[in-house]
Amino acid sequence: MSAPIALGELRTLFADFGNRTHVLLAVSGGADSTALMLLAARWHEQNPQTHLTVASIDHALRPESAEECRIVAMRAAELGLLCIIKRWEGDKPAARLQEAARNARYALLAEAATEIGADTIATAHTLDDQAETVLMRLMHGSAVDGLAAMRPVMPLAGLSLIRPLLGTTRARLVATLQAADMAWLEDPSNRNARFERVRLRALLAQLAPLGLDPERLGLLARRAARSSDALEAIAAERFEVLVRREQDCLQLDGRGLAACPADIRLRILERAVLEMRDRNAGSAYGLRLERLEALAAALDQVLGQALDQPLDPGDGQGGPWQRSLGGTLLRLDKSGNLQVAREPERRRGITKTKM
């Protein structure tokens, strides 16, 4: 039987709230987010210097969604909190609906935060959510960055996104609501097995008795995050050593790149592509690890000789070695420099890379 969260735990649980001016609480009305609202309101009684506002997003995917948002607003008012309701307008995609709904939710939350001058958005992701995310990343073959799963604090659209309940189990939140005699809403999609996360939730229940429980998977995420941060710091340092920024491109020292460990090479290439993409407002899609690995493997075939013999940057067909990725064109010259430039307009829109 899980114990409710005690008042004495709130100071630690919401320690990061004290560093914020105005926090927007994302509340759907489910058990997790309702508990977040209740606990944050209790914390706020002793810490009125930080403003709290509730936001509820109507995804318009079910007939009852508008009423659910109204109920959230009513419960927020009972706790002395103002509630903003935002509706996801427009047509809804038939495929990858949960992903689209999640993206829309964060966009609307950021919009609401900007409107009221909030500097932070708080969500109710729990240790159980973290464990499910780790399992999902494992199944998808993620590397250490993916296994780090959700971070307690991360940037979002010029704001901060924080997850104060990421180390707390869902069972403790339910126990907290029950002790307070506060009801919550049930979203039927949370039981729909056509969604991957729902299937993983059932799998996690089977794995927990074997020792692979939320606590153990949460520990894996924290350790992966630690390793990911260390690798990123090394890659950032090496990138600045190897890069030369020009008006319309980046130049990377190919031989220096070849001397880096494989994971650092991947991160340096990713940094170069993303910097040029952002500089030129290029393609909106992110870099898939598989494509980045394919690019690095193709480049390694050429750079592998760079450490002990003259570099031949050809593509085997008489032309310079070049590949495209993420709206950029990467070209290797005879001096061993890897040029990363914006992909020409006539090529843009072609998503297939030469790998």
Side-chain angles (χ1 to χ4, degrees):
M1 188 72 175
S2 296
I5 294 174
L7 291 176
E9 298 178 72
L10 298 183
R11 181 177 179 181
T12 299
L13 204 60
F14 294 102
D16 199 33
F17 274 37
N19 302 321
R20 313 292 172 172
T21 302
H22 193 163
V23 178
L24 184 70
L25 305 173
V27 180
S28 66
D32 299 347
S33 62
T34 300
L36 170 66
M37 181 170 62
L38 171 63
L39 293 169
R42 288 175 175 175
W43 174 87
H44 187 251
E45 291 175 359
Q46 303 300 320
N47 301 273
Q49 73 281 0
T50 300
H51 296 290
L52 296 183
T53 301
V54 172
S56 191
I57 306 301
D58 178 4
H59 291 92
L61 296 174
R62 293 179 288 110
E64 60 270 25
S65 61
E67 174 63 14
E68 291 171 349
C69 287
R70 189 193 67 79
I71 292 172
V72 169
M74 179 184 67
R75 289 177 180 161
E78 292 171 354
L79 294 170
L81 300 175
L82 175 68
C83 179
I84 299 172
I85 296 175
K86 289 281 188 179
R87 182 179 173 86
W88 183 20
E89 304 288 356
D91 296 334
K92 309 302 186 289
R96 305 178 74 171
L97 179 59
Q98 282 199 324
E99 178 182 345
R102 180 175 63 252
N103 292 338
R105 178 166 64 252
Y106 281 124
L108 290 168
L109 287 171
E111 180 182 289
T114 300
E115 289 174 355
I116 64 173
D119 57 350
T120 305
I121 297 170
T123 64
H125 291 107
T126 67
L127 184 59
D128 301 80
D129 295 316
Q130 183 76 309
E132 293 160 11
T133 301
V134 173
L135 277 182
M136 187 181 299
R137 302 285 174 79
L138 279 170
M139 292 177 64
H140 293 173
S142 295
V144 64
D145 294 353
L147 295 180
M150 293 182 283
R151 301 297 187 104
V153 182
M154 64 176 292
L156 175 68
L159 308 166
S160 291
L161 174 67
I162 61 177
R163 299 178 170 107
L165 304 180
L166 200 56
T168 306
T169 63
R170 186 172 292 126
R172 289 204 70 194
L173 298 181
V174 169
T176 301
L177 292 176
Q178 291 173 334
D181 196 25
M182 179 172 283
W184 62 89
L185 303 171
E186 292 287 355
D187 184 346
S189 67
N190 290 331
R191 298 187 299 272
N192 191 336
R194 78 182 181 94
F195 295 123
E196 182 181 31
R197 188 171 287 273
V198 175
R199 298 193 300 272
L200 288 175
R201 191 168 301 151
L203 176 61
L204 186 58
Q206 299 175 43
L207 294 173
L210 302 177
L212 198 60
D213 55 17
E215 287 77 9
R216 182 63 60 179
L217 289 167
L219 177 61
L220 171 59
R222 292 193 297 275
R223 288 173 172 169
R226 186 176 62 201
S227 297
S228 174
D229 290 344
L231 290 168
E232 275 298 301
I234 295 169
E237 182 178 343
R238 286 306 299 164
F239 179 74
E240 293 304 324
V241 171
L242 299 175
V243 72
R244 185 172 76 251
R245 293 177 175 86
E246 300 184 357
Q247 184 175 358
D248 58 353
C249 70
L250 301 179
Q251 296 277 358
L252 289 173
D253 177 356
R255 289 181 173 85
L257 183 62
C260 294
D263 197 287
I264 301 303
R265 287 202 302 277
L266 281 174
R267 293 169 186 273
I268 290 173
L269 288 171
E270 181 180 40
R271 281 177 172 270
V273 170
L274 292 179
E275 181 171 323
M276 281 308 302
R277 187 186 74 175
D278 293 343
R279 180 195 295 188
N280 294 301
S283 172
Y285 61 82
L287 301 184
R288 295 182 64 85
L289 179 59
E290 294 82 359
R291 290 191 171 187
L292 193 61
E293 288 174 331
L295 169 67
L299 183 60
D300 285 350
Q301 291 181 5
V302 179
L303 290 179
Q305 61 179 298
L307 298 179
D308 53 17
Q309 58 183 307
L311 178 65
D312 176 10
D315 61 1
Q317 300 177 354
W321 183 95
Q322 65 180 38
R323 298 291 188 275
S324 59
L325 181 65
T328 65
L329 187 66
L330 299 94
R331 184 191 301 260
L332 196 63
D333 64 25
K334 293 181 179 180
S335 64
N337 287 325
L338 179 66
Q339 182 188 84
V340 185
R342 186 177 186 180
E343 196 172 22
E345 289 295 332
R346 62 186 176 80
R347 295 172 57 91
R348 295 184 64 78
I350 302 174
T351 58
K352 182 178 180 181
T353 56
K354 296 169 62 179
M355 297 183 185

